[in-house]
Amino acid sequence: MSRLIRFERTGGPEVLQWVDCDVAPPAPGEAQVRHCAVGLNYIDVYHRSGLYPVPLPSGLGLEASGVVEAVGDGVVDLRPGDRVAYAGGALGAYAERRNIVADRLVRLPDALSFEQGAAMMLQGLTAQYLLRRTYRVQPGDAILIHAAAGGVGLLVCQWAKALGATVIGTVGSDEKAALAQLYGCDHPIVYTRERVSSRVRELTGGEGVAVVYDSIGKDTFLDSLACLRPMGMMVSFGNASGPVESFDPGLLGKMGSLFLTRPSLFAYSARREDLLAMAEELFTVVLSGQVKLSINQQFPLRDAAVAHRELEARRTTGSTVLIP
């Protein structure tokens, strides 16, 4: 018998239930993983609330680390006892153990803890594709990252700084500004006090930034466009404040022939060879010390609802892990 978090209707954190379940032997192409740590991500809120609809009842969570307990037929590159981590696949990471398609798993280096593995996969792979593939940051670029003190934000700040960029980031308080600065943000902007686009223009001598990485959505979208230099790239990769409202694409032309993309990790890592290459680059920058993980909150998995409340109230910084 195992236990997991399930929800039967969409809504607030109170819909999350801690229930018993049976875990069948892994099917062909699957591996059974005993989770040691589970990652908390804002996309979990989108699934739970119904912003991203899923068939109900449903499990929750896309990221975890643990130990392979069994493998199904046809799985040749994993064996029981392997330390693994993953981000993506079917929902269900909020569980003590589960079966998952084996080609979504990557081996976790011995030098990384399970907590690090759970905290780094979804957010770290997101940082990887944002900085190295969606817009390939170059030395001398000025960039803007929203929610700079969050899990993805702290990783992007460090990694972009290591690449030679000038990093501007938005935060909600002086405490978060200090944290972002500690992790490589050159110019934290407290958005509750300053208009972000005006401050960005000031910091860049009126030019604007090469790229904006925006996970906030509705509340920041138009002002993010106003931060860009001509032919700059607007990367909208989340909706923490709600989905972006419809707008006339002609606005992009009027504001300087801007580029707009709405990427997802699951598209960038759909091919196994891409997933492995992305994970290898992520593990390399973490093990080198260029990017340090900031795991600032841990909760028992059974208390996932509490963790969701803290996340949505913006009382968390860095990464949060849930311990089965």
mmCIF file of all heavy atoms in Angstrom, residues 152-190:
data_model
loop_
_atom_site.group_PDB
_atom_site.id
_atom_site.type_symbol
_atom_site.label_atom_id
_atom_site.label_comp_id
_atom_site.label_asym_id
_atom_site.label_seq_id
_atom_site.Cartn_x
_atom_site.Cartn_y
_atom_site.Cartn_z
ATOM 1 N N VAL A 152 12.577 29.477 -10.325
ATOM 2 C CA VAL A 152 13.172 29.686 -11.636
ATOM 3 C C VAL A 152 13.992 30.966 -11.641
ATOM 4 O O VAL A 152 15.093 31.030 -12.199
ATOM 5 C CB VAL A 152 12.096 29.721 -12.737
ATOM 6 C CG1 VAL A 152 12.702 30.110 -14.083
ATOM 7 C CG2 VAL A 152 11.397 28.369 -12.853
ATOM 8 N N GLY A 153 13.483 32.002 -10.984
ATOM 9 C CA GLY A 153 14.144 33.293 -10.995
ATOM 10 C C GLY A 153 15.563 33.252 -10.451
ATOM 11 O O GLY A 153 16.492 33.810 -11.056
ATOM 12 N N LEU A 154 15.765 32.595 -9.319
ATOM 13 C CA LEU A 154 17.104 32.532 -8.735
ATOM 14 C C LEU A 154 18.058 31.744 -9.621
ATOM 15 O O LEU A 154 19.250 32.066 -9.710
ATOM 16 C CB LEU A 154 17.050 31.915 -7.337
ATOM 17 C CG LEU A 154 16.349 32.751 -6.259
ATOM 18 C CD1 LEU A 154 16.369 32.013 -4.920
ATOM 19 C CD2 LEU A 154 16.990 34.128 -6.109
ATOM 20 N N LEU A 155 17.565 30.703 -10.277
ATOM 21 C CA LEU A 155 18.402 29.945 -11.195
ATOM 22 C C LEU A 155 18.767 30.774 -12.417
ATOM 23 O O LEU A 155 19.928 30.795 -12.857
ATOM 24 C CB LEU A 155 17.693 28.660 -11.616
ATOM 25 C CG LEU A 155 17.414 27.642 -10.513
ATOM 26 C CD1 LEU A 155 16.584 26.488 -11.059
ATOM 27 C CD2 LEU A 155 18.695 27.115 -9.900
ATOM 28 N N VAL A 156 17.787 31.478 -12.984
ATOM 29 C CA VAL A 156 18.047 32.315 -14.155
ATOM 30 C C VAL A 156 19.035 33.429 -13.811
ATOM 31 O O VAL A 156 19.954 33.723 -14.594
ATOM 32 C CB VAL A 156 16.731 32.896 -14.703
ATOM 33 C CG1 VAL A 156 17.000 34.031 -15.696
ATOM 34 C CG2 VAL A 156 15.907 31.799 -15.377
ATOM 35 N N CYS A 157 18.871 34.066 -12.650
ATOM 36 C CA CYS A 157 19.792 35.138 -12.254
ATOM 37 C C CYS A 157 21.237 34.640 -12.245
ATOM 38 O O CYS A 157 22.134 35.273 -12.824
ATOM 39 C CB CYS A 157 19.424 35.669 -10.872
ATOM 40 S SG CYS A 157 17.938 36.702 -10.804
ATOM 41 N N GLN A 158 21.470 33.515 -11.601
ATOM 42 C CA GLN A 158 22.839 32.992 -11.499
ATOM 43 C C GLN A 158 23.392 32.572 -12.849
ATOM 44 O O GLN A 158 24.536 32.895 -13.203
ATOM 45 C CB GLN A 158 22.853 31.788 -10.561
ATOM 46 C CG GLN A 158 22.490 32.080 -9.131
ATOM 47 C CD GLN A 158 22.394 30.790 -8.345
ATOM 48 O OE1 GLN A 158 23.399 30.241 -7.902
ATOM 49 N NE2 GLN A 158 21.189 30.289 -8.175
ATOM 50 N N TRP A 159 22.590 31.839 -13.591
ATOM 51 C CA TRP A 159 23.057 31.287 -14.859
ATOM 52 C C TRP A 159 23.313 32.413 -15.863
ATOM 53 O O TRP A 159 24.340 32.427 -16.562
ATOM 54 C CB TRP A 159 22.038 30.296 -15.392
ATOM 55 C CG TRP A 159 22.559 29.269 -16.340
ATOM 56 C CD1 TRP A 159 23.635 29.375 -17.174
ATOM 57 C CD2 TRP A 159 22.011 27.961 -16.569
ATOM 58 N NE1 TRP A 159 23.786 28.217 -17.898
ATOM 59 C CE2 TRP A 159 22.812 27.335 -17.551
ATOM 60 C CE3 TRP A 159 20.926 27.269 -16.039
ATOM 61 C CZ2 TRP A 159 22.559 26.053 -18.019
ATOM 62 C CZ3 TRP A 159 20.667 25.980 -16.500
ATOM 63 C CH2 TRP A 159 21.475 25.380 -17.480
ATOM 64 N N ALA A 160 22.395 33.380 -15.931
ATOM 65 C CA ALA A 160 22.571 34.500 -16.852
ATOM 66 C C ALA A 160 23.798 35.325 -16.476
ATOM 67 O O ALA A 160 24.545 35.790 -17.346
ATOM 68 C CB ALA A 160 21.322 35.378 -16.857
ATOM 69 N N LYS A 161 24.021 35.505 -15.193
ATOM 70 C CA LYS A 161 25.207 36.237 -14.736
ATOM 71 C C LYS A 161 26.476 35.499 -15.153
ATOM 72 O O LYS A 161 27.446 36.111 -15.625
ATOM 73 C CB LYS A 161 25.157 36.388 -13.216
ATOM 74 C CG LYS A 161 26.247 37.295 -12.644
ATOM 75 C CD LYS A 161 26.025 38.728 -13.077
ATOM 76 C CE LYS A 161 27.040 39.650 -12.395
ATOM 77 N NZ LYS A 161 26.889 41.038 -12.911
ATOM 78 N N ALA A 162 26.476 34.165 -15.016
ATOM 79 C CA ALA A 162 27.631 33.365 -15.433
ATOM 80 C C ALA A 162 27.863 33.461 -16.940
ATOM 81 O O ALA A 162 29.003 33.317 -17.405
ATOM 82 C CB ALA A 162 27.443 31.912 -15.018
ATOM 83 N N LEU A 163 26.821 33.721 -17.703
ATOM 84 C CA LEU A 163 26.935 33.864 -19.154
ATOM 85 C C LEU A 163 27.379 35.261 -19.566
ATOM 86 O O LEU A 163 27.582 35.523 -20.753
ATOM 87 C CB LEU A 163 25.590 33.541 -19.816
ATOM 88 C CG LEU A 163 25.132 32.086 -19.740
ATOM 89 C CD1 LEU A 163 23.684 31.952 -20.195
ATOM 90 C CD2 LEU A 163 26.040 31.183 -20.567
ATOM 91 N N GLY A 164 27.515 36.177 -18.606
ATOM 92 C CA GLY A 164 27.994 37.516 -18.910
ATOM 93 C C GLY A 164 26.912 38.543 -19.149
ATOM 94 O O GLY A 164 27.185 39.629 -19.679
ATOM 95 N N ALA A 165 25.674 38.254 -18.753
ATOM 96 C CA ALA A 165 24.568 39.190 -18.944
ATOM 97 C C ALA A 165 24.464 40.163 -17.775
ATOM 98 O O ALA A 165 24.920 39.890 -16.662
ATOM 99 C CB ALA A 165 23.255 38.422 -19.096
ATOM 100 N N THR A 166 23.836 41.296 -18.024
ATOM 101 C CA THR A 166 23.389 42.194 -16.966
ATOM 102 C C THR A 166 21.968 41.789 -16.609
ATOM 103 O O THR A 166 21.085 41.774 -17.474
ATOM 104 C CB THR A 166 23.407 43.660 -17.435
ATOM 105 O OG1 THR A 166 24.756 44.028 -17.734
ATOM 106 C CG2 THR A 166 22.854 44.580 -16.357
ATOM 107 N N VAL A 167 21.748 41.443 -15.353
ATOM 108 C CA VAL A 167 20.483 40.841 -14.934
ATOM 109 C C VAL A 167 19.653 41.850 -14.157
ATOM 110 O O VAL A 167 20.072 42.353 -13.107
ATOM 111 C CB VAL A 167 20.728 39.586 -14.076
ATOM 112 C CG1 VAL A 167 19.390 38.940 -13.702
ATOM 113 C CG2 VAL A 167 21.615 38.597 -14.800
ATOM 114 N N ILE A 168 18.469 42.129 -14.666
ATOM 115 C CA ILE A 168 17.476 42.958 -13.991
ATOM 116 C C ILE A 168 16.336 42.032 -13.580
ATOM 117 O O ILE A 168 15.910 41.177 -14.371
ATOM 118 C CB ILE A 168 16.953 44.074 -14.912
ATOM 119 C CG1 ILE A 168 18.116 44.911 -15.460
ATOM 120 C CG2 ILE A 168 15.946 44.963 -14.185
ATOM 121 C CD1 ILE A 168 17.705 45.884 -16.565
ATOM 122 N N GLY A 169 15.839 42.181 -12.350
ATOM 123 C CA GLY A 169 14.785 41.290 -11.887
ATOM 124 C C GLY A 169 13.735 42.016 -11.075
ATOM 125 O O GLY A 169 14.044 42.985 -10.375
ATOM 126 N N THR A 170 12.487 41.551 -11.166
ATOM 127 C CA THR A 170 11.429 42.126 -10.345
ATOM 128 C C THR A 170 11.179 41.250 -9.131
ATOM 129 O O THR A 170 11.261 40.022 -9.196
ATOM 130 C CB THR A 170 10.111 42.275 -11.128
ATOM 131 O OG1 THR A 170 9.573 40.995 -11.433
ATOM 132 C CG2 THR A 170 10.332 43.067 -12.408
ATOM 133 N N VAL A 171 10.882 41.910 -8.009
ATOM 134 C CA VAL A 171 10.595 41.242 -6.741
ATOM 135 C C VAL A 171 9.511 42.027 -6.017
ATOM 136 O O VAL A 171 9.221 43.171 -6.357
ATOM 137 C CB VAL A 171 11.857 41.153 -5.853
ATOM 138 C CG1 VAL A 171 12.910 40.236 -6.469
ATOM 139 C CG2 VAL A 171 12.447 42.540 -5.606
ATOM 140 N N GLY A 172 8.942 41.401 -4.966
ATOM 141 C CA GLY A 172 7.833 42.035 -4.271
ATOM 142 C C GLY A 172 8.191 42.726 -2.974
ATOM 143 O O GLY A 172 7.328 43.368 -2.376
ATOM 144 N N SER A 173 9.434 42.619 -2.518
ATOM 145 C CA SER A 173 9.808 43.213 -1.239
ATOM 146 C C SER A 173 11.307 43.453 -1.197
ATOM 147 O O SER A 173 12.070 42.906 -2.006
ATOM 148 C CB SER A 173 9.411 42.284 -0.083
ATOM 149 O OG SER A 173 10.198 41.103 -0.099
ATOM 150 N N ASP A 174 11.726 44.249 -0.215
ATOM 151 C CA ASP A 174 13.157 44.502 -0.040
ATOM 152 C C ASP A 174 13.898 43.224 0.343
ATOM 153 O O ASP A 174 15.051 43.025 -0.054
ATOM 154 C CB ASP A 174 13.374 45.576 1.029
ATOM 155 C CG ASP A 174 12.940 46.957 0.561
ATOM 156 O OD1 ASP A 174 13.062 47.248 -0.640
ATOM 157 O OD2 ASP A 174 12.465 47.750 1.406
ATOM 158 N N GLU A 175 13.243 42.365 1.129
ATOM 159 C CA GLU A 175 13.871 41.107 1.525
ATOM 160 C C GLU A 175 14.136 40.238 0.292
ATOM 161 O O GLU A 175 15.217 39.637 0.159
ATOM 162 C CB GLU A 175 12.987 40.364 2.526
ATOM 163 C CG GLU A 175 12.851 41.027 3.875
ATOM 164 C CD GLU A 175 11.888 42.215 3.881
ATOM 165 O OE1 GLU A 175 11.111 42.365 2.908
ATOM 166 O OE2 GLU A 175 11.928 42.993 4.857
ATOM 167 N N LYS A 176 13.162 40.171 -0.613
ATOM 168 C CA LYS A 176 13.350 39.387 -1.830
ATOM 169 C C LYS A 176 14.370 40.051 -2.756
ATOM 170 O O LYS A 176 15.111 39.360 -3.474
ATOM 171 C CB LYS A 176 12.013 39.178 -2.536
ATOM 172 C CG LYS A 176 11.079 38.236 -1.780
ATOM 173 C CD LYS A 176 9.830 37.918 -2.579
ATOM 174 C CE LYS A 176 8.965 36.886 -1.845
ATOM 175 N NZ LYS A 176 7.763 36.510 -2.627
ATOM 176 N N ALA A 177 14.435 41.370 -2.732
ATOM 177 C CA ALA A 177 15.450 42.063 -3.523
ATOM 178 C C ALA A 177 16.845 41.683 -3.058
ATOM 179 O O ALA A 177 17.747 41.432 -3.878
ATOM 180 C CB ALA A 177 15.253 43.574 -3.422
ATOM 181 N N ALA A 178 17.036 41.625 -1.750
ATOM 182 C CA ALA A 178 18.345 41.256 -1.205
ATOM 183 C C ALA A 178 18.705 39.827 -1.587
ATOM 184 O O ALA A 178 19.863 39.528 -1.916
ATOM 185 C CB ALA A 178 18.350 41.428 0.309
ATOM 186 N N LEU A 179 17.716 38.932 -1.551
ATOM 187 C CA LEU A 179 17.968 37.544 -1.919
ATOM 188 C C LEU A 179 18.336 37.433 -3.390
ATOM 189 O O LEU A 179 19.315 36.751 -3.759
ATOM 190 C CB LEU A 179 16.730 36.695 -1.622
ATOM 191 C CG LEU A 179 16.824 35.212 -1.997
ATOM 192 C CD1 LEU A 179 17.920 34.516 -1.188
ATOM 193 C CD2 LEU A 179 15.481 34.517 -1.796
ATOM 194 N N ALA A 180 17.575 38.089 -4.267
ATOM 195 C CA ALA A 180 17.867 38.039 -5.697
ATOM 196 C C ALA A 180 19.257 38.588 -5.987
ATOM 197 O O ALA A 180 20.003 38.032 -6.807
ATOM 198 C CB ALA A 180 16.810 38.811 -6.477
ATOM 199 N N GLN A 181 19.628 39.661 -5.309
ATOM 200 C CA GLN A 181 20.949 40.256 -5.523
ATOM 201 C C GLN A 181 22.056 39.300 -5.092
ATOM 202 O O GLN A 181 23.091 39.183 -5.750
ATOM 203 C CB GLN A 181 21.049 41.573 -4.760
ATOM 204 C CG GLN A 181 22.102 42.523 -5.284
ATOM 205 C CD GLN A 181 21.810 43.968 -4.905
ATOM 206 O OE1 GLN A 181 21.129 44.244 -3.906
ATOM 207 N NE2 GLN A 181 22.317 44.898 -5.695
ATOM 208 N N LEU A 182 21.816 38.579 -4.017
ATOM 209 C CA LEU A 182 22.781 37.601 -3.536
ATOM 210 C C LEU A 182 23.018 36.508 -4.566
ATOM 211 O O LEU A 182 24.120 35.943 -4.652
ATOM 212 C CB LEU A 182 22.273 37.001 -2.215
ATOM 213 C CG LEU A 182 23.183 36.009 -1.490
ATOM 214 C CD1 LEU A 182 24.457 36.704 -1.005
ATOM 215 C CD2 LEU A 182 22.448 35.386 -0.310
ATOM 216 N N TYR A 183 22.007 36.232 -5.385
ATOM 217 C CA TYR A 183 22.090 35.167 -6.381
ATOM 218 C C TYR A 183 22.338 35.702 -7.789
ATOM 219 O O TYR A 183 22.085 34.998 -8.760
ATOM 220 C CB TYR A 183 20.827 34.311 -6.350
ATOM 221 C CG TYR A 183 20.832 33.297 -5.218
ATOM 222 C CD1 TYR A 183 20.536 33.676 -3.915
ATOM 223 C CD2 TYR A 183 21.156 31.967 -5.449
ATOM 224 C CE1 TYR A 183 20.559 32.756 -2.864
ATOM 225 C CE2 TYR A 183 21.185 31.043 -4.417
ATOM 226 C CZ TYR A 183 20.885 31.445 -3.124
ATOM 227 O OH TYR A 183 20.914 30.532 -2.100
ATOM 228 N N GLY A 184 22.872 36.907 -7.911
ATOM 229 C CA GLY A 184 23.349 37.356 -9.208
ATOM 230 C C GLY A 184 22.528 38.417 -9.902
ATOM 231 O O GLY A 184 22.888 38.844 -11.004
ATOM 232 N N CYS A 185 21.426 38.851 -9.311
ATOM 233 C CA CYS A 185 20.616 39.899 -9.935
ATOM 234 C C CYS A 185 21.301 41.249 -9.719
ATOM 235 O O CYS A 185 21.446 41.710 -8.585
ATOM 236 C CB CYS A 185 19.210 39.906 -9.340
ATOM 237 S SG CYS A 185 18.112 41.124 -10.084
ATOM 238 N N ASP A 186 21.729 41.888 -10.803
ATOM 239 C CA ASP A 186 22.441 43.161 -10.693
ATOM 240 C C ASP A 186 21.535 44.287 -10.220
ATOM 241 O O ASP A 186 21.962 45.156 -9.455
ATOM 242 C CB ASP A 186 23.036 43.540 -12.056
ATOM 243 C CG ASP A 186 24.079 42.558 -12.529
ATOM 244 O OD1 ASP A 186 25.147 42.480 -11.891
ATOM 245 O OD2 ASP A 186 23.834 41.855 -13.537
ATOM 246 N N HIS A 187 20.298 44.267 -10.698
ATOM 247 C CA HIS A 187 19.387 45.386 -10.424
ATOM 248 C C HIS A 187 17.994 44.865 -10.063
ATOM 249 O O HIS A 187 17.129 44.725 -10.931
ATOM 250 C CB HIS A 187 19.283 46.300 -11.650
ATOM 251 C CG HIS A 187 20.586 46.815 -12.144
ATOM 252 N ND1 HIS A 187 21.324 47.767 -11.471
ATOM 253 C CD2 HIS A 187 21.304 46.497 -13.267
ATOM 254 C CE1 HIS A 187 22.427 48.028 -12.146
ATOM 255 N NE2 HIS A 187 22.443 47.280 -13.235
ATOM 256 N N PRO A 188 17.740 44.536 -8.790
ATOM 257 C CA PRO A 188 16.378 44.140 -8.404
ATOM 258 C C PRO A 188 15.451 45.354 -8.366
ATOM 259 O O PRO A 188 15.833 46.432 -7.884
ATOM 260 C CB PRO A 188 16.569 43.531 -7.007
ATOM 261 C CG PRO A 188 17.844 44.098 -6.502
ATOM 262 C CD PRO A 188 18.692 44.462 -7.673
ATOM 263 N N ILE A 189 14.254 45.191 -8.894
ATOM 264 C CA ILE A 189 13.240 46.244 -8.902
ATOM 265 C C ILE A 189 12.074 45.780 -8.038
ATOM 266 O O ILE A 189 11.478 44.738 -8.310
ATOM 267 C CB ILE A 189 12.730 46.531 -10.327
ATOM 268 C CG1 ILE A 189 13.880 46.970 -11.243
ATOM 269 C CG2 ILE A 189 11.620 47.578 -10.309
ATOM 270 C CD1 ILE A 189 13.463 47.076 -12.711
ATOM 271 N N VAL A 190 11.742 46.532 -7.007
ATOM 272 C CA VAL A 190 10.579 46.223 -6.175
ATOM 273 C C VAL A 190 9.350 46.778 -6.899
ATOM 274 O O VAL A 190 9.102 47.973 -6.904
ATOM 275 C CB VAL A 190 10.722 46.816 -4.765
ATOM 276 C CG1 VAL A 190 9.497 46.454 -3.909
ATOM 277 C CG2 VAL A 190 12.002 46.315 -4.098
#
